[in-house]
Amino acid sequence: MAAICVFCASSRTLDQRWLDLAAETGAELARRGHTLVSGGGCVGMMGALVDGARAAGGRTVGVIPQALVDLEVADLASDELLVTDGMASRKTVMIEKSDAFLTLPGGLGTLDELFEVWTTATLAMHTKPMVLVDTDGFYRPLLDWLGTITDQTFLKPAGLDLLTVAPTVSTALDALESRLP
């Protein structure tokens, strides 16, 4: 079907519920026949994500900078592991390799990836669907702020509308699939 890029946390200190959400996401992508594109890591939510996909028979593509390979956090079990020279080139390759983007809870790296993909979409550099999974209101403060900057015309409503928000993985994937060519 499609290559779905998932952005999420790679922290080793997360509550189990976030790891379970990531594993569920990977498994559901695989059950639906999609290829998972990830940041190429094997720790935190990213590790749970790829493990969930593979456990359900899915194909995984990891994109990771050499510096993280050197730290021994690469998902060496990926069906395809692409090593880049840095974080910026990693995002470029992830965008090129993916048909759609799904963002799970995460920190600065996750937000950096989301905003890169979203910004390039607002500039019409791609038309790939993007969905934010707002589990338990995780992203509510960010969404409120985005509404504020839209009200103040720093972000056009059409730009805000490019990002779909869904409360669950299942509804998020339904939304992505409905927008795939």
Side-chain angles (χ1 to χ4, degrees), residues 32-173:
R32 294 181 184 221
H34 299 298
T35 295
L36 168 63
V37 178
S38 78
C42 64
V43 296
M45 288 177 72
M46 201 180 306
L49 174 74
V50 295
D51 289 346
R54 280 195 290 273
R59 182 173 189 280
T60 60
V61 176
V63 184
I64 190 167
Q66 183 63 51
L68 294 180
V69 173
D70 295 344
L71 290 174
E72 299 181 352
V73 296
D75 177 26
L76 300 177
S78 288
D79 293 301
E80 183 178 358
L81 186 64
L82 305 170
V83 180
T84 65
D85 62 0
M87 295 296 278
S89 55
R90 174 201 214 183
K91 290 182 288 187
T92 300
V93 172
M94 291 170 85
I95 291 169
E96 290 171 352
K97 287 280 188 183
S98 302
D99 300 310
F101 305 92
L102 183 71
T103 303
L104 296 175
L108 291 177
T110 302
L111 291 173
D112 177 52
E113 293 163 336
L114 167 65
F115 281 109
E116 177 83 15
V117 168
W118 194 1
T119 299
T120 53
T122 64
L123 297 171
M125 297 173 78
H126 71 82
T127 58
K128 299 172 183 180
M130 303 167 293
V131 177
L132 182 71
V133 181
D134 188 30
T135 302
D136 297 335
F138 182 87
Y139 283 112
R140 178 52 37 209
L142 175 65
L143 295 168
D144 290 343
W145 175 76
L146 290 166
T148 298
I149 68 167
T150 302
D151 292 344
Q152 295 178 9
T153 69
F154 287 99
L155 174 62
K156 294 178 182 173
L160 185 62
D161 291 343
L162 291 173
L163 182 68
T164 301
V165 179
T168 67
V169 169
S170 180
T171 57
L173 289 175

